[in-house]
Amino acid sequence: MKEEQVQDSNEIQDNAINEDNAADTAETVSETDAFTADEVSGGNTETGDDLKRLQGLADEFQGRALRVQADFDNFRRRTVKEKEELAQYATSKLVAELLPVMDNFERALATAPATPEFEAFTKGVNMIFRQLEGVLKNEGLTAMETVAQPFNPEYHQAIMQVESEEYEEGIVTEEVQKGYLLKDKVLRPAMVKVSM
């Protein structure tokens, strides 16, 4: 019974405290509302300055949000473009490592003896070379046409200048090593001799 009385008195005290808090909150809200009404009526000049300051902050944050959105859109576009390029040129390292093999095949075929004993062997090596060339062509590899073309440092690597009566100055006269393009990108520049 005593416990019930203590509990009832605690509840009464809690209710009284809650009523006091509610009254304080109501007073604060009514004071705030009155203050806001004064501000809106324009009675206080500081309030106008505060509104301008707050509007400036809102504009600044709006601008920041728009810049962040634009940065994100640019990042997304750049990432998509990089993925496409990566997929397009994913085989470039392997193809670049196979270029010396292609060069060696060409040298072997150029120096093959023309005797009947080696004719079948030479024909077989030539077929293997054509097969490798076809596979690489399907990947987008193309040999550059360089002789009689104007020298272009993006596509050619000049190793020597020679005097030439046949070509004007700045024209490629001879190709020392083939250059290759992988799709539209230079994989290996051609080593050339240029007329002077």
Side-chain angles (χ1 to χ4, degrees):
M1 175 103 169
K2 211 173 199 184
E3 290 177 10
E4 288 177 7
Q5 288 175 351
V6 170
Q7 191 174 15
D8 288 341
S9 68
N10 285 342
E11 287 178 8
I12 291 171
Q13 287 176 353
D14 287 344
N15 287 338
I17 290 171
N18 287 340
E19 287 175 8
D20 287 342
N21 286 342
D24 289 344
T25 304
E27 255 180 55
T28 305
V29 168
S30 65
E31 287 174 6
T32 305
D33 289 344
F35 184 68
T36 306
D38 287 342
E39 288 178 354
V40 170
S41 68
N44 193 349
T45 58
E46 290 180 13
T47 305
D49 293 340
D50 288 343
L51 285 175
K52 288 178 184 176
R53 184 179 59 81
L54 291 175
Q55 182 63 43
L57 285 173
D59 291 343
E60 181 183 338
F61 289 134
Q62 176 72 17
R64 284 184 184 177
L66 289 173
R67 283 191 294 278
V68 167
Q69 182 65 38
D71 286 345
F72 179 73
D73 289 343
N74 291 338
F75 169 76
R76 190 175 30 150
R77 275 190 232 112
R78 187 175 59 246
T79 307
V80 167
K81 184 179 177 183
E82 287 173 356
K83 277 184 177 180
E84 288 173 355
E85 285 181 2
L86 181 65
Q88 187 176 10
Y89 297 108
T91 60
S92 65
K93 184 177 180 187
L94 175 64
V95 172
E97 290 179 6
L98 288 174
L99 291 181
V101 176
M102 294 269 295
D103 294 338
N104 290 334
F105 265 117
E106 288 178 344
R107 287 185 199 108
L109 290 171
T111 59
T115 59
E117 298 116 24
F118 290 106
E119 186 178 337
F121 178 76
T122 304
K123 188 175 180 182
V125 170
N126 193 18
M127 289 172 64
I128 294 169
F129 173 67
R130 297 292 167 221
Q131 184 179 15
L132 177 62
E133 194 176 45
V135 168
L136 294 177
K137 189 175 182 180
N138 289 340
E139 285 296 318
L141 184 74
T142 54
M144 292 182 195
E145 295 294 327
T146 57
V147 177
Q149 300 293 320
F151 176 75
N152 184 345
E154 292 179 10
Y155 297 104
H156 308 131
Q157 181 179 354
I159 59 169
M160 182 183 287
Q161 282 190 321
V162 294
E163 291 184 13
S164 174
E165 295 176 6
E166 187 179 348
Y167 299 107
E168 299 175 11
E169 184 179 344
I171 303 294
V172 175
T173 60
E174 185 182 341
E175 182 179 66
V176 178
Q177 184 182 46
K178 273 190 176 181
Y180 290 95
L181 296 169
L182 183 63
K183 297 181 173 123
D184 57 350
K185 189 176 176 182
V186 175
L187 190 61
R188 181 176 80 183
M191 288 188 183
V192 296
K193 294 180 181 180
V194 183
S195 62
M196 43 189 268

